[in-house]
Structures are given as C-alpha cells and as structure tokens.
Amino acid sequence: MDDREAVGLALEQARLAAKRDEVPIGAIVLAPSGGLLASAFNERETAHDPTGHAEVLALRRAGAASGSWNLSGCTLAVTLEPCTMCAGAIVLSRVARLVFGAWDPKAGAVGSLRDVVRDTRLNHNPEVIAGVRADECAAVLDAFFARRR
C-alpha cells in the first residue's frame, strides 16, 4: 500500500469520527508487510478521555494486534500532524515511518510548533513523510468546524 492509499484509509476513519461528532482525525497502522494492522479515529468526546487521540488509539490497537508495544517496521498514517503527546507515543512505540496529511500550525509537533519525532536526543526517530493528501485532510477538518460555528 502506498502513502496516498494509507492516508486515504485514515481519511475514512476521520469521516467516521465526524459522524460521531468527534474532531475528524483518523489514523491507521500498517504492519511491516504493508497490511492493515489497526485503525482508529478520535474518541475524546465519546470516551471522555483526554488521551483518546486517533494516533494513540491506533498505536494501542496495533500493539494489541501484534502482541508487542514495539512497532518497529510499522507505518503510522494520520490525517493531521500529530500533537506533542502523539509525537511522543510515536517515538516510544518505535514505528519506522510516520505519514501525515495536513499541517497543524497550532499544535503540531512534527515541524510546526516543535519537532519531537526528529529530536536526536531521543532514542528513536521515525522517517517522516508530510503533506500527503494535505488538502483533502484539511477540508474534512474545515467542514467539521464550519458546521459547528
């Protein structure tokens, strides 16, 4: 599966989140073989969980599916640049690649506000591919917040 397809699956998750009145951010984890290992969307509102971000949930589910917290060789694809919490979880889970769509200038921690995943003082630095299907990912968020105003 290529990066555009992976972000497309994350977009499907984001659209599911919007239908449940969650901020529409979706994430998927691909196994080293390229197959889908886990998927998730934001569940902060439904679960009353401040850590219920799509990335964290997808990483948790991938760990459960693989039987290990160590997700070496895996790819995380997400519709929005991860925040500081999610960037930390990405580093700690040791995913090999992070692919994301839209940039988040207000909370992004993969180059916008800070760059947690590329901090060489940390024990792991995944490869980063940014801006994949960025306009589509941003449009889902823009439409969601336009409806809420």
Side-chain angles (χ1 to χ4, degrees):
M1 178 177 312
D2 71 18
D3 293 341
R4 286 187 56 77
E5 290 172 305
V7 172
L9 291 177
L11 273 164
E12 289 176 17
Q13 291 295 306
R15 291 182 182 108
L16 290 173
K19 289 179 182 176
R20 290 171 172 81
D21 208 29
E22 293 279 358
V23 174
I25 299 170
I28 65 153
V29 178
L30 299 175
S33 65
L36 182 64
L37 189 58
S39 60
F41 52 79
N42 271 8
E43 294 182 21
R44 290 190 324 163
E45 301 300 327
T46 353
H48 311 291
D49 179 2
T51 68
H53 291 205
E55 302 93 358
V56 169
L57 296 172
L59 292 171
R60 285 179 187 159
R61 292 172 186 165
S66 69
S68 176
W69 63 268
N70 187 329
L71 299 175
S72 295
C74 292
T75 296
L76 172 69
V78 61
T79 57
L80 184 67
E81 177 186 4
C83 70
T84 303
M85 174 183 69
C86 293
I90 290 163
V91 170
L92 294 173
S93 68
R94 294 194 174 93
V95 295
R97 300 175 70 242
L98 166 64
V99 179
F100 72 87
W103 290 94
D104 185 355
K106 294 181 181 178
V110 186
S112 289
L113 281 181
R114 56 191 51 84
D115 201 344
V116 173
V117 300
R118 293 187 192 98
D119 187 333
T120 56
R121 297 171 294 178
L122 300 176
N123 66 339
H124 177 72
N125 301 112
E127 175 185 4
V128 176
I129 297 89
V132 177
R133 298 176 76 161
D135 291 342
E136 291 173 77
C137 293
V140 171
L141 285 160
D142 292 344
F144 175 80
F145 286 112
R147 283 192 306 273
R148 294 188 90 181
R149 288 187 200 116

